[in-house]
Amino acid sequence: MNKKIIIPTSNISEGVEFFLRGAKKRRSMAIASVRQVNTDIGVNLRLVSVK
């Protein structure tokens, strides 16, 4: 039998990649929600992230 050898493209496991994708999605949804609330109440702020 010929088995395909899968060569990973990164050293991050699939489970961790899944977790990180979810975190990025939640973060972008939270930022969109904050922007919407600020727009509704008439506040115009610039969001800045510090790394």
Side-chain angles (χ1 to χ4, degrees):
M1 287 189 221
N2 291 336
K3 288 189 177 183
K4 246 185 173 178
I5 298 174
I6 299 173
I7 300 172
T9 57
S10 70
N11 60 354
I12 301 174
S13 69
E14 291 179 22
V16 173
E17 285 180 358
F18 177 77
F19 180 77
L20 291 175
R21 275 195 308 271
K24 286 179 185 178
K25 183 177 179 181
R26 284 189 301 278
R27 181 177 183 271
S28 66
M29 288 172 56
I31 290 173
S33 178
V34 167
R35 285 186 177 152
Q36 182 63 40
V37 168
N38 284 341
T39 301
D40 290 346
I41 62 174
V43 176
N44 190 6
L45 298 175
R46 293 183 186 161
L47 295 176
V48 177
S49 66
V50 178
K51 294 185 179 180

